[in-house]
C-alpha cells in the first residue's frame, strides 16, 4: 500500500483501517527517530534559520497555509518532515538558549504514551493511574522539600507563571478568604514583595489577580543578584507606615538571568515577624534539592508557605512539567481546595462509588488539565536519585570559581573595543555586540545562547547548562564560535 | 540486545547510545500501537476498574511507588503496558463520559511530533514554524467566526477555563486599564453576568481575578437551558440602580449539561445598549461553526468581543487545544498585548535580527507555553472542511426530534419506580438510580456515560456524542446496558 493514495478517511476508526493506521504511524515514527538521531549528532546544525516572511512564502514546497483540499497521508508525512527541518533542535548538545534544554529519551517515551492515552486529570474516574501517580510523586517531592513525612498538598500546573499565580491566590485566600466571594474590595490595600531580579510572572500575577503591579514592591539585590533582607524589612515597615498590608514575599531560588539564590532563612525570619506568606520560586533552582552537594543553596525552603518547582528545567523533563506546593501546615485546612473549588456537579459528583477525594480537579483553576505527571514518573522510575547527578555533578564543577547555579553571564569584548576607555561610547557599542553575534550565530545555525541587558548592564550573554548531552567541548565550541563571529565587530 | 540489561545511562546522549535508543523507542511504539488497535476493538473493555486502594497496593506487580533503585528499561516497558492496562480508553467507541472523546490518528501523530520537537511557544526564535502555524490557524478560525478578513488577535491557552479567564481580564483592561497597575481598588464595583447553566470556569475567573463570586450574577434560563434575554436586561438595570457597573456578559454556545445555545444576537443588543463586553463561550459548541447546517445556532457570534473555542471537544483534536480570540475592533489597539505584557528583557529582546512582532509569548499569562497548535494544523491539512462533517452529519441527525447539540439528557426509570406517584419518595429514589447504574457500569467496564443533578432535577444521565468512532449500534448498546444494569433497582 502506498501512503500516496491513502487519505485520513481510511484510517481507524474506518473499517479495515488497521493496516493503513499502523503503516502511517510507523512512518511517522521513522521520521521522528531519524530526527532524534540527528539531534544528538554534532555535525547537524542546531537550526536552519529563516525569517518569518521566507517561511510564509513557502520554502522548497513547504506550505504552511491551511488549504481547502485535504492532503494525502503521504503529503502529511512530508509536512511532518518539513516541520522538523525548519524548527530548532532544543535537544542538540550545542543548544544553550533556554533554561529548558535537552531531549530525554525516557521522558519522550512517557509523552508519546500520554498523548496516546489522551485523557484528562480532573477525575479519578477517567485518569485513575495518572491521578495516583501525581499523588505519590507530589508526596515524594514534598519529602525532598523537607516537609515531615511529605505531608501536604500540591498540583501540577501549566508552567511556572501559573504556579506562581496559584501561590499569590492561596496566600490571599489564607489571610482574606472573603475575597473569593466579595472581591478585592473586601480586603485592605495589599502589597507583595519580590526581587528586582525575580521572574516576570510575579508581576503578571499581581496584574491579573487584581492587586495591581504598583502594589508589587521590588527588592534591591547585592552584586550577585540576591535579595538584601534588610531592604525587605525596610520596605515592609514603610508599607505598614502608609497603612498598607504586607501580604506576600517571593524568595527566588535560581533567578532567570544570574541564577542567584535569595537567602531563604533570613527572608523567612522577616515573614514570620510580620506575618507574611513566604513563597519560594524554585522553578529554575528547585532541581538542586535533588543534589546532596548543592541543596544547601535552598536552606530554609522547608519554612516556605508555598513552593514552585519546575522539573522541565534543571531536571530535563519534557515540557511542561511543573509543581506547585502549599506547605503542609496550610493544607490540613484544605487551602488549595477552599481557594479554587466551585464543586461543579457534572464532574465532581459526591455520590460516586469510589473515594472521591481522589477527584482532585476542583483544586485547579483549570477545568481540563493535561497529564503532565507520567513522563516525570517514568523518568523517576528509570533514574531515581541518579536523576540529577548526571547533570549536577557533570555540570556545576566545570567552572573553577564558585557559581551559584549553572548560569554564566559574560560580555564578549571585540578587539576594536578593548582599548576604548569605559564610558558612554563603549557602553553603547558593547550593547550592540551580543545581538549582532546572536544574529550571525542563528544564521550559521551552529549553536544558540541567550542575551539580555539587566539593570544598568548593557547586553550580555547568559550561558545556561541544563542539557545532559552538553560536554566541556560543546561549551568550548560556543566560546570559540562567539570569538569567531565577534572578532571583527 | 536484551532490554533487560539496559538502563537509561546507555541511551542517547550516551556514546553508542543510538542502537539501544532506537530499540527502546520501537518497543514503546509497539506497546502504543497495540493499545490503539484494541481501543477501536469493541470486544475490548472501556476500562478495567479498580479502587484507589487496590491500585496503590499494587496489582499483578504494577508498582506505582517511586522506588530508590533505578529500573531496567525492560521494566520501564512493563510499566508503560500496565499504565495503559489500568487506564480508561477515552477513544473507545463506547466511551461517552466526557465532552472530549475519541482518538484521532493524525492528531496523535501530531502530538508525538510535538513531544519530540520539545519546544516552547514564547518566541519565534525557538519555535519559528509553530509560531507561524499558530498565526495562520488563528486567522483561519477568525474568518470562520465571521470577522472580516480574519482580522484580529488570539492565543492558544491551556484549557477553556483559562481561556474564559483571559476574556474577563481583557474586558477589564479595555474599560479600566488602570486596574493593571493600581489593582481593583481603581475600579468601581464591577459585575459580571452569565447563565445559571454556564461552565463553572466563569465563577473561578471571578474569584481569581478579584471580582468575587457574589459579583457574578446568574441569569435565568428557559426550559431548554437558554438564557432569557429579558432577565439579563432586568438584572443589568437592577445592578446599575445599586450603583454597580455592569462590565461583562457570557453567552454560552453549547452548555456543558444540556448543550443549550444562548441567543447571542439578543444578548448582543443588550450589551451594546449598556456598553458591556460580550464574551461567547463556545468551548463545547464552537465546533458547529464548521458546519453549514448547524452554524446558525451561533448566529451573532461575530458581534462578540471575545470568543472561546475548543477543538479538543467537538472537533476531536487531542487534549489540550483551545483558542481564545478577542474581536478585531479591540485588537487593532493591541488589547491582549497591553493587558498581559511585562516585556521581560531576557526573552523578548527588542534588538533581534528578525521581526519581533512574531514573539507572541508576552500576550499570554503563561511564560512557557506548550505547543498545542501542531496537531490541529496537521489535522486540518489532512481533513479541511470535511473535518466536522464526519462528526456533525453522522451524529446530530441520529435523533428524530431536534436537539440543540449532541447532548441527550435522560432518566432511566427502573420498573420498581414506574408505578410510584410523583413526589418526594420517587424523587429521592430516582436520584440514586444513575449513580448506582454508573458504578455497576464501571465495574463491568463495558461503557461509560456521565450523570449529574441540575437545578431541581435529580440525577440524570448526560449522553454526549463527540467520538467519530461511535455508531448508532454503540448508542443502542449503551441504552441496553443501562436497562440491563438498572432493571432490578
Amino acid at each position: 500500500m502506498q501512503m500516496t493514495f491513502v487519505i485520513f478517511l481510511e484510517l481507524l476508526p474506518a473499517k479495515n483501517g488497521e493496516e493503513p493506521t499502523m503503516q502511517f504511524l510507523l512512518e511517522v515514527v521513522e521520521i521522528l527517530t531519524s530526527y532524534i538521531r540527528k539531534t544528538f549528532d554534532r555535525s547537524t546544525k542546531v537550526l536552519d534559520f529563516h525569517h518569518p516572511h521566507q517561511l510564509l512564502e513557502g520554502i522548497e514546497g513547504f506550505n504552511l497555509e491551511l488549504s481547502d483540499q485535504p492532503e494525502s497521508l503521504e503529503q502529511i508525512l512530508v509536512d511532518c518532515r518539513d516541520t522538523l527541518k525548519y524548527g530548532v533542535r532544543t535537544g542538540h548538545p550545542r543548544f544553550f538558549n533556554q533554561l529548558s534544554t535537552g531531549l530525554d529519551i525516557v521522558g519522550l517515551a512517557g509523552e508519546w504514551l500520554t498523548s496516546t492515552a489522551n485523557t484528562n486529570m480532573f477525575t479519578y474516574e477517567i485518569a485513575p493511574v495518572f491521578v495516583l501517580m501525581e499523588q505519590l510523586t507530589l508526596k515524594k517531592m514534598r519529602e525532598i522539600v523537607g516537609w515531615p513525612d511529605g505531608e501536604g498538598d500540591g498540583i501540577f500546573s501549566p508552567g511556572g507563571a501559573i504556579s506562581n499565580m496559584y501561590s499569590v491566590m492561596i496566600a490571599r485566600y489564607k489571610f482574606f478568604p472573603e475575597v473569593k466571594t466579595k472581591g478585592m474590595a473586601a480586603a485592605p490595600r495589599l502589597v507583595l514583595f519580590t526581587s528586582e531580579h525575580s521572574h516576570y510572572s510575579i508581576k503578571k500575577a499581581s496584574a491579573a489577580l487584581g492587586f495591581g503591579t504598583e502594589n508589587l514592591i521590588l527588592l534591591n539585590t547585592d552584586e550577585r543578584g540576591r535579595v538584601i533582607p534588610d531592604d525587605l524589612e525596610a520596605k515592609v515597615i514603610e508599607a505598614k507606615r502608609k497603612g498598607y498590608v504586607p501580604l506576600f514575599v517571593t524568595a527566588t531560588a535560581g533567578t532567570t538571568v544570574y541564577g542567584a539564590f535569595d537567602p531563604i532563612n533570613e527572608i523567612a525570619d522577616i515573614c514570620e515577624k510580620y506575618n507574611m506568606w513566604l513563597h519560594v520560586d524554585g522553578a529554575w533552582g528547585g532541581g538542586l534539592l535533588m543534589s546532596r552537594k548543592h541543596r544547601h543553596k535552598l536552606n530554609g525552603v522547608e519554612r516556605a508557605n508555598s513552593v514552585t518547582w519546575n522539573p522541565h528545567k534543571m531536571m530535563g523533563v519534557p515540557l511542561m512539567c511543573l509543581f506547585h506546593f502549599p506547605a503542609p501546615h496550610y493544607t490540613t485546612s484544605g487551602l488549595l481546595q477552599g481557594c479554587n473549588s466551585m464543586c461543579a456537579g457534572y464532574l465532581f459528583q459526591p455520590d460516586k462509588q469510589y473515594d472521591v477525594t481522589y477527584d482532585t480537579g476542583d483544586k485547579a483553576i483549570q477545568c481540563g488539565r493535561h497529564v503532565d505527571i507520567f513522563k516525570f514518573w517514568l523518568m523517576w522510575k528509570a533514574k531515581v536519585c541518579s536523576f540529577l547527578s548526571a547533570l549536577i555533578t557533570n555540570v556545576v564543577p566545570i567552572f573553577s570559581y564558585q557559581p551559584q547555579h549553572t548560569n554564566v553571564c559574560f560580555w564578549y569584548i571585540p578587539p576594536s573595543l578593548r582599548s576604548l576607555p569605559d564610558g558612554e561610547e563603549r557602553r553603547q557599542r558593547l550593547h550592540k555586540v551580543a545581538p549582532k553575534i546572536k544574529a550571525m550565530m542563528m544564521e550559521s545555525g551552529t549553536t544558540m545562547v541567550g542575551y539580555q541587558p539587566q539593570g544598568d548592564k548593557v547586553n550580555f550573554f547568559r550561558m545556561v547548562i541544563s542539557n545532559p548531552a552538553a560536554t566541556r567541548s560543546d561549551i568550548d565550541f560556543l566560546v570559540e564560535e562567539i570569538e569567531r563571529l565577534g572578532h571583527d565587530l
Side-chain angles (χ1 to χ4, degrees), chain A:
Chain A
M1 186 169 22
Q2 287 288 308
M3 281 282 136
T4 325
F5 304 108
V6 179
I7 65 159
F8 77 95
L9 282 171
E10 293 166 53
L11 299 176
L12 286 171
K15 211 182 159 190
N16 304 321
E18 206 171 292
E19 198 197 327
T21 299
M22 293 305 127
Q23 194 191 340
F24 172 67
L25 287 176
L26 290 179
E27 294 203 26
V28 169
V29 168
E30 174 61 36
I31 292 168
L32 300 181
T33 50
S34 152
Y35 176 82
I36 293 165
R37 271 193 298 262
K38 282 191 197 145
T39 287
F40 290 98
D41 174 359
R42 288 180 176 77
S43 70
T44 306
K45 286 189 174 183
V46 174
L47 79 164
D48 181 6
F49 179 77
H50 296 275
H51 286 279
H53 67 90
Q54 294 171 314
L55 280 172
L56 287 171
E57 284 157 11
I59 294 176
E60 294 175 15
F62 182 31
N63 180 11
L64 287 165
E65 291 285 344
L66 296 170
S67 58
D68 293 328
Q69 290 301 316
E71 288 178 356
S72 71
L73 294 182
E74 182 67 33
Q75 182 58 40
I76 290 295
L77 294 170
V78 172
D79 288 340
C80 288
R81 251 178 239 116
D82 285 342
T83 298
L84 292 170
K85 177 168 166 28
Y86 297 106
V88 174
R89 297 177 184 275
T90 60
H92 194 288
R94 291 173 181 166
F95 177 81
F96 301 106
N97 206 64
Q98 243 61 40
L99 300 181
S100 44
T101 61
L103 182 62
D104 186 274
I105 300 298
V106 176
L108 178 63
E111 276 291 70
W112 288 359
L113 185 144
T114 301
S115 326
T116 311
N118 193 31
T119 193
N120 202 314
M121 290 298 285
F122 36 54
T123 59
Y124 179 84
E125 189 173 320
I126 62 159
V129 180
F130 298 130
V131 162
L132 295 177
M133 284 173 175
E134 181 171 273
Q135 192 200 49
L136 291 170
T137 307
L138 287 170
K139 183 168 189 299
K140 198 83 178 179
M141 304 300 275
R142 286 190 302 261
E143 284 171 11
I144 295 168
V145 167
W147 288 323
D149 300 323
E151 271 182 38
D153 205 342
I155 200 158
F156 277 67
S157 75
I162 303 282
S163 185
N164 285 337
M165 182 185 281
Y166 268 115
S167 300
V168 180
M169 281 172 67
I170 61 168
R172 178 175 67 183
Y173 183 72
K174 164 69 185 164
F175 290 103
F176 299 96
E178 61 279 16
V179 170
K180 181 177 178 183
T181 49
K182 298 191 182 303
M184 286 296 270
R189 181 159 168 178
L190 304 173
V191 288
L192 318 168
F193 302 87
T194 194
S195 163
E196 57 181 340
H197 284 230
S198 69
H199 191 260
Y200 70 99
S201 54
I202 307 285
K203 214 166 165 182
K204 289 217 179 195
S206 36
L209 303 179
F211 291 87
T213 52
E214 287 178 7
N215 294 311
L216 173 67
I217 296 172
L218 297 183
L219 303 173
N220 295 341
T221 54
D222 65 18
E223 76 292 351
R224 302 197 65 184
R226 293 170 298 207
V227 155
I228 300 167
D230 286 349
D231 186 58
L232 168 61
E233 183 155 20
K235 283 172 176 163
V236 168
I237 291 168
E238 171 68 8
K240 287 171 77 80
R241 200 189 52 74
K242 289 182 182 160
Y244 308 159
V245 175
L247 177 77
F248 180 94
V249 181
T250 302
T252 308
T255 58
T256 313
V257 176
Y258 286 3
F261 286 79
D262 290 339
I264 301 176
N265 267 320
E266 290 161 85
I267 293 173
D269 291 341
I270 298 167
C271 287
E272 280 171 18
K273 186 169 168 187
Y274 296 96
N275 194 29
M276 299 180 292
W277 183 281
L278 171 60
H279 173 60
V280 172
D281 179 2
W284 171 221
L288 296 194
L289 289 169
M290 307 288 278
S291 153
R292 272 193 211 155
K293 191 169 164 196
H294 296 284
R295 72 165 284 147
H296 68 89
K297 290 170 187 164
L298 288 98
N299 274 354
V301 65
E302 70 287 352
R303 296 173 66 188
N305 300 122
S306 56
V307 175
T308 289
W309 176 352
N310 193 333
H312 75 233
K313 290 188 172 138
M314 182 47 102
M315 293 162 76
V317 181
L319 287 160
M320 319 273 303
C321 187
L322 211 129
F323 303 106
H324 167 267
F325 303 112
H329 48 288
Y330 284 134
T331 51
T332 45
S333 55
L335 203 61
L336 195 58
Q337 181 80 20
C339 177
N340 292 322
S341 73
M342 295 294 165
C343 304
Y346 78 97
L347 261 182
F348 308 115
Q349 302 93 334
D351 46 10
K352 292 179 183 176
Q353 89 274 31
Y354 60 84
D355 178 356
V356 294
T357 60
Y358 287 92
D359 286 353
T360 50
D362 211 17
K363 288 181 191 174
I365 53 169
Q366 299 176 271
C367 172
R369 193 156 59 89
H370 191 260
V371 176
D372 289 325
I373 177 61
F374 183 66
K375 57 197 167 203
F376 184 70
W377 180 90
L378 199 67
M379 283 174 72
W380 186 298
K381 280 279 189 184
K383 305 185 176 188
V384 197
C385 293
S386 44
F387 215 137
L388 260 189
S389 66
L391 223 56
I392 298 293
T393 44
N394 286 341
V395 159
V396 178
I398 280 176
F399 314 108
S400 54
Y401 67 98
Q402 272 297 323
Q404 298 181 75
H405 205 350
T406 71
N407 306 44
V408 185
C409 297
F410 62 95
W411 284 289
Y412 170 73
I413 318 275
S416 68
L417 293 188
R418 288 181 197 166
S419 53
L420 261 188
D422 255 356
E424 200 44 36
E425 191 201 337
R426 187 170 191 270
R427 278 174 53 81
Q428 283 189 15
R429 286 177 59 185
L430 185 55
H431 188 57
K432 291 177 184 154
V433 168
K436 279 184 189 156
I437 293 176
K438 173 70 177 277
M440 289 187 283
M441 190 181 271
M442 285 178 68
E443 296 281 351
S444 71
T446 48
T447 182
M448 273 177 91
V449 66
Y451 74 87
Q452 66 286 299
Q454 174 94 36
D456 60 358
K457 294 181 175 61
V458 299
N459 277 323
F460 55 89
F461 288 111
R462 179 201 64 171
M463 163 83 179
V464 171
I465 307 160
S466 65
N467 187 344
T471 64
R472 179 187 284 263
S473 71
D474 296 309
I475 299 168
D476 290 343
F477 178 86
L478 174 78
V479 173
E480 284 156 22
E481 197 67 359
I482 289 174
E483 281 216 296
R484 182 179 73 83
L485 296 166
H487 192 265
D488 297 328
L489 289 180

